[in-house]
C-alpha cells in the first residue's frame, strides 16, 4: 500500500494539473494573425493611405481622412467630408517615420491615431516579425501593452518600467519575456507621435543654437576643403542595391555647407556667394551637392512627385528636411581649385529654423534595394555625416549630449538587481572553482559542505533568476545568436536584456572551462526546479518509487535532445518564425516568462507533466529533451577541466551506481556532455570509507598498523615511503583495463609526434582545414573523391552569395551539408579530437558525437569569419 504521504502528494498533484488546465483554458488565442502579415504593395507611396489601411480603427469618430501630407507623412482625420468638417486629429504609419527594429531585427508596423491636443487615441499593429509574439507570448499581450498609450500625451516622458513622478516619467508595464520588443515599440510610438506633433504645432519645434562662423576670408582649395571635413563624400556601389557588381559606382556625391562664408566663397566665388545670400531669408541655410560618378540622378528624375526631390534628404537628430522645387537653385560651377568634374549639381535650401549647421547632420540618399536571390524590394538609405570643422566655428563645435540608448537606461534602472545577479554568478563560479576543497571536506554520508552551496544555488536560480528577473536562457537565443554571428551582430539588441546577456557570458565561459554541468546542474532555473521536486519527493518518503531508466534505454534516449536541437537549427536556417514555434518544446516560457495562467491549457499540461515526472526520475527533461542542454553539450567536448578519475574507476562501479545523470559508463569514464556536476563522484574520489579502492587500502593499513596518509591528487593514498609507487594500490583487475581519465582511448597522430613549433602550427592548420587523409583514402576512396566535388560546390556557393546570386540562408545550407560530409570523412580517416585546451596535444579517439561537436563548432567559427571578411570588403550582399 502506498504511504499516506504518497497518496496526499498524488492528490495534490492531480489537483494542480486540474487547476492549471482550468485556468489556462480561458486564455484567448493568439491575436488576429499580424505576424508577417501581408501589407498592400503600394502602401509606402499611396497618397490615399487610409484607402488601404483601417484608419477608423485608430481614430474613433472620424469618418473622413485626407491624403498623405507633410514630412514625414501623416493623414488628417475629420468628422465628415465636405464643407463644415472639423479636424479631429491625425493618423500616422510608423514606418513612414521610423524604422526602429525590434528583437527580430524588423520594425513593428503600427498605425497610430493622435488627437489635436497630442493625446494618443488609437494604436493598431498591422504587421510584426516577433516570433515570441507568434506563439511564445499571445499577441493579445502586445495589444494590451499598446492600450496603455491611450489617453497619454506625446509630450509625456514615457518609459518602460515604474513611473517616477519626481522625474516626470510616466511608466508602462512591459510584456514579460518580450522586453526588447516593447522597448522598440515605445521608441516607435514616441518618435512617430513627436515627429507629427512638431509639424502641426502641438509640440514646439526643436530649437538649436545658430552657428557663429569664424571667417578668415581666404578661399580654400578642394583638397583643403576635403582634408578639413568641410566637404564630405557619399558613394554607393550597384551591388549595395542588389544590382550587378561593377567598378563604376551607382552614384558618387560630394556635398558641403554653403552658409559658412569661407566654404561658400571657396565653392561659389565671392560674387556667387553674395548672389546666394540675396536669395536666403533669415534662418535659412544652403548646401551644395555634386555628382562626380554614377548613372543615376540624385534629383530623382523618375521619383519626383509634386515637385519633391525624394532621392536626397537632410537629417538632424530626429528632424528630417526634404526639398521641393522652390528649395532648388542651379549650381553653375564649383570654383575651388582642384575641384573634380561632375555631371550633375544643385544648391538646396533648408528653410526650417529647427536646423543649425553648428550641429552635426547627415545627407541621406534614399532608394530601393532588390534582393537578387528572392526578387523582393526593400526601402533603404545611405547616410554620410557632416559637421562643420571646429576651426570654422567661433568657440569650436558645441557640446552635443546624446540621450542614453534604451539599453543603457535599462541597465541604469535595474542597477541593484543587475549587481546582485553579477554577485551571484561570480560567487557560484568561484565556489565551483574550489570544488575539490569542498569535496575533500565531504563524505558519502555527509555531503553538506558541497550541498549547502549547491542547494543555495538551486533556490536562488528558481526564485531570483527564474521568477524574479526572468533570466531563463532558451534555445531561441542560441538560434538568434547563431544567425547574428553569421549575418549581423548588433550589440544593442542583446544588451537590451541585461540579465540574459550577463547569464550568457557566464554560460559561455563556464562551458569552456568546466562543461555544461555548472549551468545545467547548478544555475538553470527549470533544471533546479526539477531537482528540487525530486529531492522534496524523496524527503516525503517517495524515494522507493524513484528510479532510473535502464542504462541501455538511457543511452538511446539521451540522443533525442541532440536530434531536437539539430532539427531546430536546420529549420531556423529557412524560417526563424517556424523554429520559434517548434521551440515550444521548451517549457521555460510557460513556467517563468509568461506564466501557466496566461497560456492555453496544453502548455500548462506540458509543464505539469514534466514536473510530475520529476518526482520519480531525476531531471528527465534535462537528460532527454532539452535542446538548450544539447547545444551546450557540444562545446563541452572541449572543456579545459574535467572531473577526476583514477585507474580503479574502470572496475569499480560505486560512482556509476550513484550517478543521477547516468553519465558514467561501464569503464568508469565520464561523458562530460551529459554530466550535470552533482559532484557525488568527486566526493567519493577522496572518501576513504566510501570509495571501495580507498576503503580496501585503508583497512589494509589499519590491519598492518601502517600510517593513514592523505589522499593525493591522483586519488590514492600518498605512499608511506617516498620510493614506494602508488601503483601498488591499484587492483590487478584495474591495471590492464581502459584508462578512465579520458572519455575515450588516448591517441597521438603519428605526424604530430616530435615536431618543432613551426611545423606544429602548420600541422594544426592542416588538420583543421584539410579533412582528407591517406588513411581515409585507403578505406573510403569513393567518399574522399566525392568530398572534393562537394568542397568545390560549397566554395562556389560562397562566391555566389558574395555576388548576390544566392541568399545567405542558401550558403548556410551548403555549409551545413559540407559539415555533414566532413564528419563522415574525418570518421573514416582522422578519427581524433583534442581533450582539454587546444594548445595541448592531448588527443583521443573521436566518437560520432565528438566529431559532430568538433566539426560543427569549427565550421561555425570559420563561417562567421568568412561572413565578416566578405562584409568588411563590401562583397557580401544581404
Amino acid at each position: 500500500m502506498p504511504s499516506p504521504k504518497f497518496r496526499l502528494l498524488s492528490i495534490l498533484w492531480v489537483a494542480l494539473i486540474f487547476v492549471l488546465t482550468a485556468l489556462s483554458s480561458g486564455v484567448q488565442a493568439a491575436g488576429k494573425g499580424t505576424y508577417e502579415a501581408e501589407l498592400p504593395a503600394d502602401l509606402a507611396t499611396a497618397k490615399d493611405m487610409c484607402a488601404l489601411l483601417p484608419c477608423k480603427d485608430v481614430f474613433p469618430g472620424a469618418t473622413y481622412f485626407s491624403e498623405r501630407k507633410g514630412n514625414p507623412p501623416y493623414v488628417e482625420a475629420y468628422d465628415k467630408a465636405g464643407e463644415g468638417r472639423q479636424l479631429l486629429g491625425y493618423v500616422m504609419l510608423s514606418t513612414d517615420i521610423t524604422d526602429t527594429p525590434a528583437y527580430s531585427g524588423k520594425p513593428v508596423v503600427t498605425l497610430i491615431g493622435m488627437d489635436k491636443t497630442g493625446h494618443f487615441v488609437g494604436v493598431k499593429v498591422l504587421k510584426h516579425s516577433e516570433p515570441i509574439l507568434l506563439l511564445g507570448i499571445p499577441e493579445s499581450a502586445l495589444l494590451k501593452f499598446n492600450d496603455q498609450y491611450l489617453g497619454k500625451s506625446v509630450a509625456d516622458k514615457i518609459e518602460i518600467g515604474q513611473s517616477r513622478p519626481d522625474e516626470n516619467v510616466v511608466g508602462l508595464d512591459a510584456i514579460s519575456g518580450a522586453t526588447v520588443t516593447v522597448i522598440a515599440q515605445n521608441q516607435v510610438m514616441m518618435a512617430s507621435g513627436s515627429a507629427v506633433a512638431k509639424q502641426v504645432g502641438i509640440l514646439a519645434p526643436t530649437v538649436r543654437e545658430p552657428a557663429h562662423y569664424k571667417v578668415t576670408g581666404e578661399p580654400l582649395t578642394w583638397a583643403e576643403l576635403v582634408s578639413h571635413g568641410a566637404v564630405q563624400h557619399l558613394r554607393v556601389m550597384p551591388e549595395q542595391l542588389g544590382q550587378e557588381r561593377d567598378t563604376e559606382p551607382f552614384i558618387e556625391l560630394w556635398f558641403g555647407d554653403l552658409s559658412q562664408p569661407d566654404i561658400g566663397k571657396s565653392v561659389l566665388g565671392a560674387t556667387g556667394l553674395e548672389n546666394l545670400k540675396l536669395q536666403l531669408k533669415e534662418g535659412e541655410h544652403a548646401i551644395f551637392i555634386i555628382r562626380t560618378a554614377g548613372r543615376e540622378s540624385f534629383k530623382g528624375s523618375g521619383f519626383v512627385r509634386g515637385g519633391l526631390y525624394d532621392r536626397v534628404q537632410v537629417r538632424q537628430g530626429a528632424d528630417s528636411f526634404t526639398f521641393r522645387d522652390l528649395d532648388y537653385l542651379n549650381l553653375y560651377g564649383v570654383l575651388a581649385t582642384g575641384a573634380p568634374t561632375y555631371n550633375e549639381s544643385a544648391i538646396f535650401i533648408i528653410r526650417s529654423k529647427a536646423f543649425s549647421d553648428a550641429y552635426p547632420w547627415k545627407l541621406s540618399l534614399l532608394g530601393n534595394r532588390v534582393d537578387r536571390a528572392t526578387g523582393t524590394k526593400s526601402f533603404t538609405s545611405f547616410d554620410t555625416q557632416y559637421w562643420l570643422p571646429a576651426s570654422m566655428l567661433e568657440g569650436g563645435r558645441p557640446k552635443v549630449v546624446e540621450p542614453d540608448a534604451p539599453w543603457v537606461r535599462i541597465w541604469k534602472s535595474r542597477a541593484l538587481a543587475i549587481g546582485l545577479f553579477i554577485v551571484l554568478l561570480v560567487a557560484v563560479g568561484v565556489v565551483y572553482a574550489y570544488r575539490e576543497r569542498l569535496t575533500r571536506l565531504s563524505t558519502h554520508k555527509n555531503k553538506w559542505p558541497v550541498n549547502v552551496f549547491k542547494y543555495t544555488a538551486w533556490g536562488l536560480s528558481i526564485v531570483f533568476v527564474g521568477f524574479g528577473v526572468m533570466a531563463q536562457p532558451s534555445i531561441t537565443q542560441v538560434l538568434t545568436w547563431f544567425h547574428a554571428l553569421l549575418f549581423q551582430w548588433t550589440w544593442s539588441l542583446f544588451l537590451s536584456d541585461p540579465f540574459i546577456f550577463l547569464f550568457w557570458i557566464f554560460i559561455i565561459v563556464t562551458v569552456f572551462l568546466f562543461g555544461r554541468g555548472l549551468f545545467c546542474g547548478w544555475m538553470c532555473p527549470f533544471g533546479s526546479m526539477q531537482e528540487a521536486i525530486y529531492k522534496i519527493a524523496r524527503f516525503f518518503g517517495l524515494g522507493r518509487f524513484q528510479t532510473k531508466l535502464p542504462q541501455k534505454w538511457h543511452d538511446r534516449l539521451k540522443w533525442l535532445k541532440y536530434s531536437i536541437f539539430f532539427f531546430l537549427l536546420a529549420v531556423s536556417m529557412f524560417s526563424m518564425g517556424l523554429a520559434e514555434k517548434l521551440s515550444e518544446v521548451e517549457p521555460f516560457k510557460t513556467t517563468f516568462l509568461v506564466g501557466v495562467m496566461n497560456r492555453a491549457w496544453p502548455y500548462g499540461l506540458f509543464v505539469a507533466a514534466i514536473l510530475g515526472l520529476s518526482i520519480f526520475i531525476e531531471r528527465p527533461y534535462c537528460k532527454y529533451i532539452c535542446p538548450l542542454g544539447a547545444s551546450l553539450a557540444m562545446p563541452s567536448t572541449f572543456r579545459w577541466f574535467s572531473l577526476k578519475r583514477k585507474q580503479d574507476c574502470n572496475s569499480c562501479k560505486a560512482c556509476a551506481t550513484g550517478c543521477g545523470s547516468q553519465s558514467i559508463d561501464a569503464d568508469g569514464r565520464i561523458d562530460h556532455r551529459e554530466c550535470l556536476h552533482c559532484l557525488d563522484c568527486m566526493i567519493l574520489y577522496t572518501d576513504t570509507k566510501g570509495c571501495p579502492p580507498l576503503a580496501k587500502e585503508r583497512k589494509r593499513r589499519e590491519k598492518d598498523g601502517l600510517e593513514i596518509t592523505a589522499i593525493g591528487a591522483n586519488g590514492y593514498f600518498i605512499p608511506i615511503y617516498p620510493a614506494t609507487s602508488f601503483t601498488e594500490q591499484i587492483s590487478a583487475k584495474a591495471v590492464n583495463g581502459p584508462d578512465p581519465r579520458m572519455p575515450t582511448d588516448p591517441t597521438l597522430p603519428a605526424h604530430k609526434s616530435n615536431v618543432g613549433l613551426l611545423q606544429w602550427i602548420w600541422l594544426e592548420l592542416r588538420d583543421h582545414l584539410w579533412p582528407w587523409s591517406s588513411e581515409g583514402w585507403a578505406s573510403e576512396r569513393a567518399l574522399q573523391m566525392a568530398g572534393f566535388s562537394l568542397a568545390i560546390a560549397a566554395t562556389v556557393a560562397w562566391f555566389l552569395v558574395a555576388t548576390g546570386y544566392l541568399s545567405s540562408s542558401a550558403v548556410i545550407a551548403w555549409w551545413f551539408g559540407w559539415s555533414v560530409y566532413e564528419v563522415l570523412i574525418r570518421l573514416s580517416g582522422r578519427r581524433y579530437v583534442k581533450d582539454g585546451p587546444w594548445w595541448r596535444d592531448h588527443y583521443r579517439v573521436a566518437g560520432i558525437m565528438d566529431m559532430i561537436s568538433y566539426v560543427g563548432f569549427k565550421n561555425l567559427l570559420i563561417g562567421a569569419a568568412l561572413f565578416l571578411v566578405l562584409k568588411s570588403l563590401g562583397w557580401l550582399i544581404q
Side-chain angles (χ1 to χ4, degrees):
M1 288 287 293
S3 68
K5 289 182 179 179
F6 176 76
R7 289 198 297 270
L8 176 61
L9 198 61
S10 300
I11 292 171
L12 290 175
W13 191 257
V14 172
L16 176 61
I17 293 177
F18 177 81
V19 171
L20 292 178
T21 302
L23 290 173
S24 300
S25 61
V27 179
Q28 297 296 320
K32 296 184 178 180
T34 57
Y35 178 79
E36 293 291 7
E38 186 175 349
L39 298 178
D42 57 344
L43 178 59
T45 57
K47 290 185 178 181
D48 192 358
M49 182 182 77
C50 291
L52 304 175
L53 300 177
C55 293
K56 292 182 180 180
D57 290 356
V58 299
F59 211 114
T63 60
Y64 176 76
F65 300 92
S66 72
E67 293 183 344
R68 274 187 170 113
K69 56 176 58 180
N71 179 51
Y74 63 90
V75 167
E76 293 175 337
Y78 293 92
D79 59 343
K80 63 180 180 179
E83 295 183 3
R85 65 188 183 187
Q86 291 187 358
L87 176 66
L88 302 179
Y90 312 93
V91 175
M92 63 211 78
L93 182 65
S94 63
T95 47
D96 280 347
I97 302 167
T98 178
D99 57 355
T100 302
Y103 192 79
S104 63
K106 299 178 182 179
V108 176
V109 184
T110 309
L111 195 63
I112 305 167
M114 182 177 68
D115 66 18
K116 291 192 298 182
T117 64
H119 289 81
F120 295 111
V121 295
V123 184
K124 186 179 181 67
V125 174
L126 302 177
K127 176 183 178 180
H128 73 83
S129 303
E130 303 299 279
I132 198 169
L133 297 178
L134 172 64
L135 195 62
I137 295 174
E139 283 186 354
S140 58
L142 182 58
L143 301 181
K144 291 178 181 178
F145 171 79
N146 285 333
D147 286 345
Q148 296 178 89
Y149 288 97
L150 302 184
K152 292 183 173 61
S153 172
V154 70
D156 293 334
K157 189 176 181 181
I158 300 176
E159 295 182 3
I160 305 301
Q162 296 293 324
S163 295
R164 302 194 299 278
D166 55 324
E167 300 178 34
N168 296 320
V169 172
V170 178
L172 298 181
D173 294 331
I175 301 175
S176 296
T179 306
V180 178
T181 301
V182 297
I183 289 173
Q185 183 67 352
N186 186 55
Q187 287 182 274
V188 166
M189 291 292 298
M190 301 312 296
S192 301
S194 298
V196 174
K198 288 178 181 179
Q199 283 192 74
V200 299
I202 297 174
L203 294 179
T206 303
V207 177
R208 297 181 176 91
E209 183 71 22
H212 300 286
Y213 306 118
K214 180 185 290 185
V215 182
T216 65
E218 295 295 327
L220 301 169
T221 66
W222 184 261
E224 290 172 332
L225 289 170
V226 173
S227 65
H228 292 332
V231 170
Q232 290 291 348
H233 182 224
L234 192 158
R235 190 175 193 231
V236 179
M237 300 304 292
E239 56 267 25
Q240 292 178 272
L241 291 167
Q243 300 180 9
E244 291 280 355
R245 184 181 297 275
D246 196 349
T247 55
E248 179 73 12
F250 172 82
I251 196 168
E252 183 177 51
L253 305 178
W254 295 87
F255 64 96
D257 186 348
L258 290 176
S259 297
Q260 208 286 342
D262 286 344
I263 301 175
K265 184 176 181 180
S266 301
V267 174
L268 302 178
T271 303
L273 178 60
E274 290 302 319
N275 290 336
L276 176 62
K277 287 180 178 179
L278 294 175
Q279 300 182 68
L280 295 179
K281 298 178 182 177
E282 184 179 355
E284 295 181 345
H285 298 79
I287 66 170
F288 79 94
I289 305 175
I290 61 173
R291 173 166 61 95
T292 56
R295 57 184 178 275
E296 296 295 330
S297 167
F298 67 79
K299 297 178 182 178
S301 57
F303 298 85
V304 174
R305 298 184 300 275
L308 180 69
Y309 295 100
D310 62 355
R311 273 283 180 89
V312 289
Q313 187 178 90
V314 167
R315 295 176 181 172
Q316 191 168 54
D319 299 316
S320 299
F321 309 98
T322 54
F323 308 106
R324 297 184 178 276
D325 285 346
L326 296 178
D327 304 323
Y328 167 80
L329 297 175
N330 286 318
L331 175 62
Y332 295 106
V334 176
L335 302 183
T337 304
T341 57
Y342 55 89
N343 46 27
E344 188 176 34
S345 62
I347 296 173
F348 288 114
I349 301 173
I350 303 173
R351 304 189 187 277
S352 173
K353 294 182 179 180
F355 179 84
S356 169
D357 53 356
Y359 293 84
W361 52 273
K362 295 178 181 178
L363 179 70
S364 293
L365 180 74
L366 313 178
N368 289 306
R369 177 187 177 277
V370 178
D371 187 324
R372 298 183 65 186
T374 63
T376 57
K377 294 182 178 181
S378 59
F379 180 80
T380 188
S381 64
F382 302 92
D383 302 336
T384 295
Q385 180 169 295
Y386 185 96
W387 198 352
L388 279 174
S391 59
M392 294 185 173
L393 293 168
E394 290 288 352
R397 291 172 171 173
K399 184 178 180 180
V400 177
V401 179
E402 296 289 345
D404 287 337
W407 69 267
V408 174
R409 294 199 294 269
I410 294 172
W411 284 68
K412 288 181 177 179
S413 66
R414 308 202 66 180
L416 177 59
I418 292 171
L420 293 174
F421 188 60
I422 292 173
V423 170
L424 173 61
L425 297 179
V426 172
V428 170
V430 170
V431 167
Y432 188 81
Y434 287 93
R435 63 194 178 281
E436 190 170 348
R437 294 190 182 184
L438 296 177
T439 56
R440 283 179 176 268
L441 295 173
S442 307
T443 67
H444 70 293
K445 291 185 177 181
N446 179 25
K447 300 178 181 178
W448 279 105
V450 170
N451 286 349
V452 69
F453 291 103
K454 188 166 60 178
Y455 290 177
T456 300
W458 289 348
L460 290 173
S461 70
I462 296 170
V463 177
F464 176 60
V465 179
F467 289 108
V469 299
M470 293 182 290
Q472 169 70 64
S474 167
I475 188 62
T476 57
Q477 293 152 8
V478 175
L479 300 179
T480 300
W481 290 9
F482 173 81
H483 283 257
L485 185 63
L486 289 179
F487 297 130
Q488 184 174 359
W489 183 271
T490 306
W491 280 107
S492 60
L493 181 65
F494 302 112
L495 287 167
S496 296
D497 194 328
F499 299 101
I500 290 294
F501 181 80
L502 291 170
F503 213 168
W504 272 105
I505 293 177
F506 171 84
I507 292 169
I508 292 169
V509 171
T510 58
V511 161
F512 282 102
L513 286 177
F514 311 116
R516 69 177 270 223
L518 181 54
F519 164 71
C520 293
W522 289 50
M523 288 300 293
C524 175
F526 193 78
S528 299
M529 184 178 291
Q530 291 176 85
E531 188 72 39
I533 289 173
Y534 184 81
K535 299 294 185 185
I536 292 171
R538 176 174 291 182
F539 176 79
F540 275 96
L542 299 181
R544 55 182 171 161
F545 299 102
Q546 293 177 334
T547 186
K548 298 178 183 177
L549 291 184
Q551 192 66 34
K552 67 176 182 178
W553 281 105
H554 168 82
D555 290 338
R556 293 170 183 171
L557 290 177
K558 71 181 181 181
W559 300 113
L560 177 60
K561 61 180 176 288
Y562 296 99
S563 300
I564 294 172
F565 167 66
F566 283 121
F567 177 71
L568 290 175
L569 181 62
V571 170
S572 73
M573 294 177 188
F574 305 98
S575 172
M576 275 297 293
L578 180 57
E580 180 76 27
K581 287 185 192 178
L582 297 174
S583 70
E584 285 297 327
V585 70
E586 290 182 329
F588 307 153
K589 296 173 191 171
T590 303
T591 306
F592 300 109
L593 302 183
V594 184
V596 292
M597 291 185 292
N598 298 318
R599 305 210 68 183
W601 68 265
Y603 299 102
L605 183 61
F606 180 49
V607 172
I610 292 174
L611 297 182
L613 189 59
S614 299
I615 294 174
F616 308 105
I617 299 177
E618 190 172 358
R619 292 179 179 254
Y621 182 81
C622 300
K623 291 194 284 190
Y624 305 120
I625 303 176
C626 183
L628 175 63
S631 69
L632 300 179
M634 294 178 65
S636 296
T637 304
F638 314 108
R639 82 227 158 268
W640 287 7
F641 303 103
S642 301
L643 299 181
K644 291 188 173 182
R645 301 274 80 197
K646 64 185 75 173
Q647 186 67 27
D648 274 289
C649 291
N650 64 22
S651 58
C652 172
K653 309 299 181 185
C655 291
T657 301
C659 182
S661 60
Q662 297 178 253
S663 58
I664 303 178
D665 66 12
D667 292 324
R669 289 167 163 165
I670 297 176
D671 183 350
H672 286 273
R673 286 187 293 266
E674 301 299 318
C675 177
L676 298 177
H677 291 203
C678 67
L679 299 184
D680 285 358
C681 63
M682 286 289 289
I683 291 173
L684 281 179
Y685 186 77
T686 55
D687 186 353
T688 59
K689 294 183 178 179
C691 176
L694 292 182
K696 181 180 178 181
E697 175 66 12
R698 175 184 57 81
K699 290 176 181 178
R700 185 187 72 81
R701 292 191 180 191
E702 288 176 345
K703 180 180 178 181
D704 296 341
L706 300 175
E707 179 186 357
I708 305 298
T709 57
I711 306 299
N714 56 20
Y716 293 98
F717 285 101
I718 296 174
I720 298 174
Y721 305 106
T724 305
S725 173
F726 75 89
T727 55
E728 295 179 4
Q729 302 175 45
I730 302 175
S731 67
K733 183 179 179 181
V735 169
N736 298 319
D739 186 349
R741 290 172 295 181
M742 280 189 176
T744 56
D745 292 333
T747 187
L748 179 64
H751 62 275
K752 294 294 287 292
S753 179
N754 299 320
V755 296
L757 177 61
L758 292 179
Q759 189 178 2
W760 182 89
I761 294 173
W762 160 248
L763 292 173
E764 279 287 296
L765 291 172
R766 194 193 72 175
D767 273 6
H768 292 312
L769 300 177
W770 188 263
W772 298 281
S773 63
S774 57
E775 297 89 346
W777 183 259
S779 61
E780 297 287 349
R781 184 168 300 183
L783 186 63
Q784 295 265 349
M785 294 178 65
F788 286 104
S789 301
L790 185 59
I792 294 172
T795 304
V796 171
W798 279 101
F799 175 78
L800 291 176
V801 77
T803 53
Y805 287 100
L806 199 65
S807 68
S808 297
S809 297
V811 79
I812 290 180
W814 274 100
W815 203 231
F816 186 80
W818 163 257
S819 299
V820 172
Y821 167 79
E822 187 174 349
V823 169
L824 297 175
I825 201 65
R826 286 184 180 273
L827 287 173
S828 69
R830 294 183 174 171
R831 191 167 187 149
Y832 51 80
V833 292
K834 287 190 176 183
D835 196 74
W838 63 269
W839 57 85
R840 296 179 184 171
D841 282 340
H842 289 176
Y843 287 92
R844 60 183 178 84
V845 177
I848 295 175
M849 184 50 65
D850 292 325
M851 193 58 73
I852 291 175
S853 300
Y854 162 71
V855 170
F857 187 68
K858 171 181 70 75
N859 285 353
L860 172 63
L861 294 180
I862 293 175
L866 284 171
F867 270 104
L868 291 174
V869 169
L870 290 175
K871 190 171 182 180
S872 65
L873 294 175
W875 294 352
L876 183 61
I877 310 303
Q878 295 186 38

